[in-house]
Amino acid sequence: SHTWGYGPHDGPSTWIESFPIADGLRQSPINIIPGQTSYDPSLKPLKLKYDPSNAMDILNNGHSFQVGFLDEADSSTLSGGPVSGTYRLKQFHFHWGARDDRGSEHTINGIKFPAELHLVHWNTKYPNFGEAASKPDGLAVVGVFLKGKQTPFANFDCKTVLPASLDYWTYDGSLTTPPLLESVTWIVLKEPISVSPAQMTKFRSLMFSGEGEAPCCMQDNFRPPQALKGRTVRRSFK
Ligand SMILES: COCCCN1C=C(N)c2cc(S(N)(=O)=O)sc2S1(=O)=O
Ligand SMILES: [Zn+2]
């Protein structure tokens, strides 16, 4: 089928039919094995600057929901960390499971979290997002695990969404959804943030299906871990 999804007939195992790069050398997500990562003292601290006034819209794109940001200026940016230059925030979105025992895309020692947040940034050395998305250093996505916990969840503001620690793992990877472009420097934070059961229920009440179609709950919208193929995963912390 020309559209891709997460079901039995259009899910991750079928994507290679339309996107041969699915079996490429730097595919994402991956399973992170902390004992097999290498500490790189030359890695700089992550520098994240987010301006809530840049938030523009929220959209159900049929495979997640995403919050879009105005990216005409360097007001919401990522710099430092494993990247050089300045990357602008374009959108953030989530991946989650039908139940709390799965949902994240990256895993740690095979452990899946209930959900994972992706903050997508593009390299301002390129003229726009579309150009950047096809370059090996074009995108930088910050991945944040969500773990279950009874906790009130204030209004969603990028400043409050990040955990206390910005310690991270980093590796060269790809988009985890078609077109699976191998243009992403992945920066996966070690410390998860908390999300309440009510929040997870809200995620699972979203729909893959559109208006007037048979309702199909949006859940299990995650790609399983892909082969490392010789890549090194570096960490910013001892
Ligand atoms: C030219 O545009 C190519 C596609 C653009 N994007 C669509 C996605 N599904 C997508 C998934 C992303 S993820 N799950 O790897 O962070 S980032 C991202 S995205 O960069 O915002
Ligand atoms: Zn994602």
Side-chain angles (χ1 to χ4, degrees):
S1 65
H2 66 286
T3 61
W4 59 272
Y6 293 95
H9 309 293
D10 62 4
S13 58
T14 74
W15 293 351
I16 192 159
E17 294 157 22
S18 308
F19 304 92
I21 200 168
D23 192 29
L25 291 176
R26 53 176 283 190
Q27 289 290 294
S28 295
I30 59 167
N31 177 42
I32 295 168
I33 303 169
Q36 295 176 13
T37 61
S38 42
Y39 170 57
D40 179 345
S42 72
L43 280 172
K44 297 180 184 60
L46 265 185
K47 193 166 171 299
L48 299 170
K49 178 182 74 163
Y50 294 130
D51 175 354
S53 73
N54 291 157
M56 293 218 297
D57 53 21
I58 187 163
L59 162 78
N60 176 331
N61 57 27
H63 35 264
S64 182
F65 72 92
Q66 62 183 58
V67 174
F69 283 74
L70 185 67
D71 59 355
E72 307 291 310
D74 286 350
S75 40
S76 290
T77 57
L78 177 159
S79 54
V83 300
S84 47
T86 302
Y87 287 63
R88 281 184 193 165
L89 179 65
K90 172 79 181 167
Q91 56 109 318
F92 68 70
H93 63 272
F94 297 81
H95 304 261
W96 60 90
R99 306 191 327 230
D100 284 354
D101 63 349
R102 59 183 191 262
S104 65
E105 299 213 291
H106 291 89
T107 54
I108 299 185
N109 281 330
I111 306 293
K112 297 181 173 86
F113 287 80
E116 185 172 333
L117 159 65
H118 289 158
L119 296 137
V120 182
H121 310 74
W122 58 276
N123 194 333
T124 55
K125 78 191 247 194
Y126 301 110
N128 56 54
F129 174 84
E131 279 298 308
S134 63
K135 305 295 184 297
D137 62 347
L139 303 180
V141 181
V142 175
V144 188
F145 294 114
L146 275 63
K147 64 177 183 180
K149 182 184 166 201
Q150 281 283 2
T151 172
F153 201 79
N155 68 308
F156 202 85
D157 166 0
C158 287
K159 281 196 197 52
T160 61
V161 80
L162 296 172
S165 163
L166 290 183
D167 287 345
Y168 62 87
W169 292 285
T170 183
Y171 74 97
D172 292 343
S174 73
L175 299 180
T176 65
T177 62
L180 301 171
L181 299 170
E182 296 190 330
S183 57
V184 181
T185 300
W186 275 96
I187 300 162
V188 180
L189 302 190
K190 176 187 60 154
E191 186 184 328
I193 58 168
S194 299
V195 64
S196 70
Q199 206 81 32
M200 287 310 303
T201 303
K202 190 76 196 154
F203 280 8
R204 296 173 186 137
S205 71
L206 293 169
M207 292 288 156
F208 281 132
S209 46
E211 304 276 324
E213 292 172 9
C216 175
C217 282
M218 182 180 279
Q219 41 198 247
D220 291 335
N221 56 349
F222 60 91
R223 186 192 195 191
Q226 303 300 304
L228 207 46
K229 298 205 176 173
R231 286 173 286 178
T232 300
V233 179
R234 294 178 291 157
R235 64 178 190 271
S236 70
F237 55 97
K238 268 223 171 20

